[in-house]
């Protein structure tokens, strides 16, 4: 979902992060909407991986129905529905994509409310209608490669006008570019290219002026122009591995880190100013070591954020004006 319409007031309301010198970063907690979502008892839901919001405020959550990431991947599809659509109030309105996906990873919604999904085991990008009808599939199923017809465990998708940007991250370390019909337009991030080198581009988004890449294993946000030229590296030595990044509007960005620099899992969200410095940070993880892994993040038009916690087996909603505490970095 485009963040052009996200309320700018949220940028002034998030509490400042803190780092008290302890081995694990201590950041303010944020109030979570514990009533959202409401998952029926008969629903098989587990190991969520991605979230996005359509133009009607419906929240789409991609999950693996309990299947865990184990390599080598199986070729067997997941029998249960892996896409859940929730109302803004948290009711489950639809579930689909049964017997379609093998190891689903990323989900993005375009301006026509089509649902785009990456499957790292199928090595494909899949485009579905809002109701779950498969409209197209890109890549050769189960066959990896690095050209216009193959992917290397594609991770995420963003839309730049009529161009589809695929964070082809796990083995190719590139941003592959296509038109909406699937015609290959080129790629960014190859060794020696001006856009620089990525190390597992895990998430991608754009505000129309810049492209933001969650450059996970480089522990940074790589900022590019819309032509793929480098425009910044947002990070600090004390920061963690960025898993997802989304624009808030006005050049501001919200990101979630799933691991710290010692590779301990968690969920730290950060608000970045337009110059790449951190304005505020907060902790979204569960208590206990390795209890959470912040994997994806999205916003709706009302300024509410949604975060995927893989290890916590949950998708949470929070208001960016609801941070508890205020302390300086």
């Amino acid at each position: 979902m485009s963040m052009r319409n996200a309320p700018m007031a949220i940028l002034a309301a998030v509490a400042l992060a803190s780092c008290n010198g302890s081995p694990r970063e201590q950041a303010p907690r944020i109030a979570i909407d514990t009533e959202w979502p409401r998952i029926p008892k008969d629903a098989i839901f587990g190991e969520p991986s991605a979230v996005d919001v359509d133009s009607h405020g419906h929240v789409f959550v991609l999950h693996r129905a309990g299947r865990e990431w184990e390599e080598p991947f199986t070729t067997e599809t997941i029998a249960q529905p892996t896409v859940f659509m929730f109302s803004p109030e948290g009711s489950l309105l639809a579930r689909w994509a049964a017997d379609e996906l093998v190891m689903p990873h990323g989900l993005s919604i375009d301006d026509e409310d089509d649902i785009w999904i990456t499957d790292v085991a199928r090595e494909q990008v899949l485009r579905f209608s809002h109701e779950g009808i498969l409209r197209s599939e890109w890549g050769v199923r189960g066959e990896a490669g690095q050209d216009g017809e193959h992917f290397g465990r594609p991770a995420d998708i963003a839309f730049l006008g009529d161009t589809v940007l695929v964070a082809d991250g796990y083995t190719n370390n590139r941003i592959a570019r296509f038109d909406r019909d699937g015609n290959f337009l080129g790629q960014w991030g190859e060794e020696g290219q001006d856009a620089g080198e990525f190390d597992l581009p895990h998430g991608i988004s754009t505000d129309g002026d810049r492209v933001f890449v969650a450059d996970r294993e480089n522990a940074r946000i790589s900022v590019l122009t819309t032509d793929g030229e480098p425009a910044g590296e947002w990070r600090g030595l004390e920061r963690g591995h960025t898993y997802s990044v989304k624009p808030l509007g006005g050049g501001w960005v919200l990101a979630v880190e799933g691991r710290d620099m010692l590779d301990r899992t968690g969920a730290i969200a950060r608000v970045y100013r337009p110059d790449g410095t951190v304005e505020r940070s907060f902790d979204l993880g569960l208590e206990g070591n390795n209890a959470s892994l912040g994997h994806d993040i999205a916003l709706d038009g009302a300024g509410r954020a949604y975060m995927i916690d893989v290890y916590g087996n949950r998708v949470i909603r929070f208001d960016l004006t609801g941070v508890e505490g205020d302390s300086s970095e």
Side-chain angles (χ1 to χ4, degrees):
M1 176 187 178
S2 170
M3 292 300 107
R4 292 189 296 271
N5 297 323
M8 291 296 291
I10 63 179
L11 301 177
V14 187
L16 288 172
S18 66
C19 188
N20 66 0
S22 64
R24 186 180 292 273
E25 178 178 353
Q26 301 297 308
R29 305 290 296 181
I30 192 168
I32 294 172
D33 184 350
T34 58
E35 301 299 319
W36 197 100
R38 297 186 297 277
I39 300 176
K41 292 182 179 180
D42 68 334
I44 297 175
F45 179 84
E47 193 154 297
S49 64
V51 60
D52 206 356
V53 184
D54 72 8
S55 64
H56 307 287
H58 300 133
V59 182
F60 282 76
V61 176
L62 182 66
H63 70 102
R64 298 165 182 160
R67 176 169 293 176
E68 297 181 357
W69 183 293
E70 294 182 355
E71 301 182 50
F73 295 130
T74 180
T75 60
E76 182 181 351
T77 57
I78 299 171
Q80 296 79 22
T82 52
V83 175
F84 282 9
M85 183 182 81
F86 294 96
S87 71
E89 295 74 31
S91 298
L92 181 59
L93 301 179
R95 47 185 127 172
W96 46 263
D99 291 314
E100 287 277 7
L101 305 176
V102 180
M103 184 51 64
H105 190 276
L107 181 150
S108 299
I109 303 176
D110 67 16
D111 53 6
E112 297 177 356
D113 281 341
D114 278 355
I115 315 301
W116 298 66
I117 292 173
T118 62
D119 190 317
V120 295
R122 286 185 57 158
E123 297 284 8
Q124 288 182 307
V125 171
L126 308 171
R127 182 181 186 177
F128 294 88
S129 71
H130 192 269
E131 292 73 33
I133 299 172
L134 181 61
R135 288 187 165 173
S136 61
E137 52 188 276
W138 299 353
V140 179
R141 184 166 183 164
E143 186 176 302
Q146 189 173 12
D147 53 37
E149 297 180 353
H150 296 82
F151 297 103
R153 296 189 180 180
D156 196 24
I157 295 170
F159 309 99
L160 183 61
D162 292 329
T163 301
V164 181
L165 303 177
V166 180
D168 192 19
Y170 277 86
T171 60
N172 282 343
N173 290 322
R174 65 173 180 167
I175 305 301
R177 299 164 50 246
F178 299 85
D179 65 20
R180 295 293 179 111
D181 294 323
N183 298 308
F184 184 58
L185 303 177
Q187 57 193 28
W188 300 333
E190 286 185 298
E191 185 176 355
Q193 282 190 340
D194 290 340
E197 297 177 34
F198 304 116
D199 191 354
L200 210 168
H202 191 269
I204 187 168
S205 62
T206 177
D207 61 5
D209 296 317
R210 294 183 291 184
V211 176
F212 304 96
V213 178
D215 197 357
R216 198 183 88 178
E217 297 309 296
N218 276 328
R220 69 186 181 189
I221 299 171
S222 292
V223 185
L224 309 176
T225 69
T226 55
D227 294 322
E229 298 295 326
E233 296 180 4
W234 294 3
R235 64 177 174 184
L237 292 178
E238 75 280 11
R239 306 293 176 215
H241 298 260
T242 306
Y243 276 64
S244 180
V245 56
K246 296 293 169 62
L248 291 169
W252 293 71
V253 163
L254 176 67
V256 63
E257 296 172 4
R259 307 194 327 273
D260 65 17
M261 296 307 291
L262 296 178
D263 283 346
R264 295 169 300 194
T265 54
I268 296 290
R270 304 195 196 278
V271 175
Y272 286 83
R273 305 180 187 95
D275 64 359
T277 56
V278 174
E279 169 71 14
R280 314 186 189 280
S281 303
F282 40 91
D283 189 346
L284 292 169
L286 293 168
E287 298 294 336
N289 292 336
N290 300 318
S292 292
L293 178 64
H295 198 262
D296 194 21
I297 204 160
L299 273 83
D300 65 18
R304 295 170 299 203
Y306 302 81
M307 189 202 75
I308 292 293
D309 182 352
V310 176
Y311 289 172
N313 201 37
R314 60 187 181 138
V315 52
I316 60 174
R317 182 167 80 174
F318 56 96
D319 189 328
L320 284 172
T321 64
V323 175
E324 300 167 357
D326 186 353
S327 54
S328 301
E329 285 188 299

